[in-house]
Amino acid sequence: MSVNGIESFNYSSNYVGMNQAAQMRNRQKPAVGNGESTRTSNITLHYTGSNGDTALTAVGFPDGTSASVYRADNYNDADPKYRVRYWSKSGDYTDTIVGINDVDPENGSYLEMLAYAAYSDVQGYTSDAFGNFLSAAGGVNGDITYDENSVNVKKNFTNMVRDYMQMQYDASNLAGYLSFKKFYDYMAGGQN
């Protein structure tokens, strides 16, 4: 699957050209793709909203649910807000308006962090925060999953990113470590 070209950002580290070990490790992670709606097994990714707006990114979950991140209808740079639309297995959806300046990565929900990570990439503060977030949110053992019951549960995602960053360092993956560190530093500095 490829995510090249979304809003001219390249979220490639987790999606394009993964080696076999990375594919095995990411088997339970959310699916990400590009296109209007991409169907993979029982996951539908939505990139075009009902009013014609285009998602900044989308993620699908193994249970058949999915989420897409859009700019809010009245978006402004002084008080950025993103809309995260979450689809249930039955196809019903709910919208969550996320005020980026109000997100606390030490006590945020998965849906809030999807918007937060996408925003940091779109603004150029990071280059792969969205991909890094998806990886770290799964935990260092890849055993954390999200569904309708857990996407709004508050967690300390700063610690999860820190732990994943440390795992990259311990594995001598300097490029991975530096990518996660940039996102970790962004979260710690509250540059939004």
Side-chain angles (χ1 to χ4, degrees):
M1 238 179 270
S2 173
V3 185
N4 293 332
I6 296 175
E7 288 289 319
S8 74
F9 297 96
N10 182 3
Y11 299 122
S12 62
S13 68
N14 289 327
Y15 320 108
V16 180
M18 278 192 288
N19 64 31
Q20 191 171 30
Q23 289 173 357
M24 298 282 290
R25 196 173 55 249
N26 289 326
R27 215 177 265 177
Q28 294 299 315
K29 298 225 172 157
V32 178
N34 66 352
E36 302 258 334
S37 285
T38 302
R39 186 170 291 279
T40 305
S41 183
N42 64 341
I43 299 170
T44 300
L45 299 178
H46 305 270
Y47 278 95
T48 303
S50 56
N51 62 355
D53 54 344
T54 303
L56 299 169
T57 194
V59 62
F61 304 95
D63 70 347
T65 61
S66 64
S68 297
V69 180
Y70 302 88
R71 283 194 170 144
D73 293 336
N74 295 320
Y75 180 88
N76 72 66
D77 289 329
D79 185 21
K81 290 185 177 19
Y82 278 11
R83 177 173 43 93
V84 180
R85 181 165 284 178
Y86 181 80
W87 282 268
S88 68
K89 290 182 245 186
S90 64
D92 298 326
Y93 65 84
T94 57
D95 284 336
T96 303
I97 301 299
V98 177
I100 301 301
N101 295 331
D102 299 328
V103 175
D104 178 2
E106 292 183 1
N107 187 32
S109 73
Y110 188 90
L111 295 182
E112 290 172 334
M113 289 301 295
L114 285 176
Y116 183 83
Y119 173 82
S120 66
D121 282 343
V122 167
Q123 294 301 312
Y125 299 131
T126 55
S127 58
D128 194 18
F130 189 79
N132 290 339
F133 170 71
L134 292 180
S135 295
V140 293
N141 296 318
D143 57 353
I144 301 172
T145 58
Y146 297 89
D147 59 22
E148 293 179 70
N149 299 316
S150 62
V151 292
N152 288 307
V153 173
K154 303 282 186 169
K155 292 185 177 194
N156 188 333
F157 287 104
T158 302
N159 284 349
M160 295 174 83
V161 169
R162 182 201 62 219
D163 294 347
Y164 212 88
M165 176 179 69
Q166 185 63 47
M167 179 185 72
Q168 298 298 308
Y169 183 82
D170 293 345
S172 298
N173 179 2
L174 186 56
Y177 167 79
L178 291 173
S179 181
F180 279 91
K181 182 168 182 3
K182 189 169 188 176
F183 184 42
Y184 179 77
D185 290 345
Y186 170 75
M187 290 189 300
Q191 296 175 352
N192 50 357

